[in-house]
Amino acid sequence: MTQTTDRAGPGATASPDTQLAIAVHGLHVRYGDFEAVRGIDLDVRRGEIFALLGTNGAGKTTTLEVLEGFGTRSGGTVAVLGLDPATERAALQVRMGVQLQEGGFVEELTVGETLALWQRLVDRPDRPERLLERFDLRARRDVSVGKLSGGEKRRLDLALAVWGSPELVILDEPTTGLDPESRRRTWDAIQELQEAGRTVVLTTHYLEEAEALADRVAIMHEGRVAVTGTLAEIVAAQPARFSATLPAEIADLPELRGTTQRDGERVQVRTDDLQGDLTTFLSWAAARGVRLPDLRAAPASLADIYHAVRTDQMEVTRP
Ligand code: ATP
């Protein structure tokens, strides 16, 4: 389906702010009759790692495509490194590295040939050897791209995106399908970019990835940004939970601020006051001589946050 353009589209650029790598205001993107992005604002500061999280089909890839200059907006203003990606893509390309959700490789070329081709195409200097080493692809140098595993292709794609350490790197689900060691190496590469003063925007479905890497996140749902801020702020806005198994003969429960659910011997509590309620619960158990070998306490999970976003319970936190 083709994307359509109407007023306030390309050409309408946000005023340049030197502190911001990306400034998006009121972005709309349509695919025919369907509005995939419905008026979002995003600010990404220079030098930060920013993670775009969200439900399937929320509009993350569509948003990234507009930032990269591949997608057409139907409304709003977008400035990427002070440029409008819709009209100044060539100037932007020199300063930006991009990893798409699916790489567009020439399957017949080997890994080494692909990197050599990149070396000729991209103005930023870098060494194929460095990237083969960094992304653990040295042993695959002479293998054609078509014969790489999904994870190896992902790593090659990432190597091309970070080639020459560009000012801004945009990564669409960089670690999907990677084994734990490859994921760790990818995180290291992303952190290295930040240490070198670069800006990174990525999408991910993994909370632990956003936790490990991102300075700030935005969570999208159905074409809108439901919540934005640091992950700690977003998690803190949702109730934590704790659970324990109680002996069957204990019928009563202490009075808590949170919501208590008892299912046979299992007790689950959701609470905004984890410390207070847990203290009350533990004192109550100690007074009865009850042992709690499988006691568990945890902050809200991404599943809890997505549920809150889906059901409009999320209080929007702004940086
Ligand atoms: P996921 O997490 O599943 O990758 P996403 O947040 O990246 O999802 P998008 O790929 O941006 O979501 O898609 C947003 C919506 O736009 C979806 O409903 C999708 O079906 C629709 N969409 C995406 N590309 C097109 C297209 N070329 N034509 C029509 N609809 C599209």
Side-chain angles (χ1 to χ4, degrees), residues 26 30 37 49 52 104 114 132 205 229 236 311:
R30 301 191 70 86
V37 176
I49 299 176
L52 204 50
T114 303
L132 288 170
H205 284 291
T311 52

Side-chain angles (χ1 to χ4, degrees), residues 1 31 34 36 54-63 101 173 205:
M1 201 178 279
Y31 295 109
F34 176 67
T55 49
N56 284 135
K60 303 179 294 296
T61 296
T62 300
T63 301
Q101 217 172 68
E173 298 190 22
H205 284 291

Side-chain angles (χ1 to χ4, degrees), residues 116 146 157 185:
D157 212 358
R185 279 173 174 265

Side-chain angles (χ1 to χ4, degrees), residues 54-132:
T55 49
N56 284 135
K60 303 179 294 296
T61 296
T62 300
T63 301
L64 292 194
E65 284 171 356
V66 170
L67 300 179
E68 294 155 0
F70 298 125
T72 309
R73 63 186 186 263
S74 51
T77 59
V78 177
V80 178
L81 302 176
L83 302 170
D84 184 338
T87 55
E88 296 169 289
R89 185 150 83 88
L92 197 52
Q93 245 173 355
V94 182
R95 299 166 61 190
M96 179 172 71
V98 168
Q99 183 194 31
L100 304 176
Q101 217 172 68
E102 283 175 29
F105 296 117
V106 180
E107 304 266 302
E108 290 74 27
L109 292 184
T110 65
V111 170
E113 288 164 349
T114 303
L115 288 167
L117 177 67
W118 211 242
Q119 194 163 25
R120 288 202 294 279
L121 290 176
V122 179
D123 275 345
R124 295 181 298 275
D126 210 329
R127 291 179 306 110
E129 283 305 317
R130 178 185 88 85
L131 295 155
L132 288 170

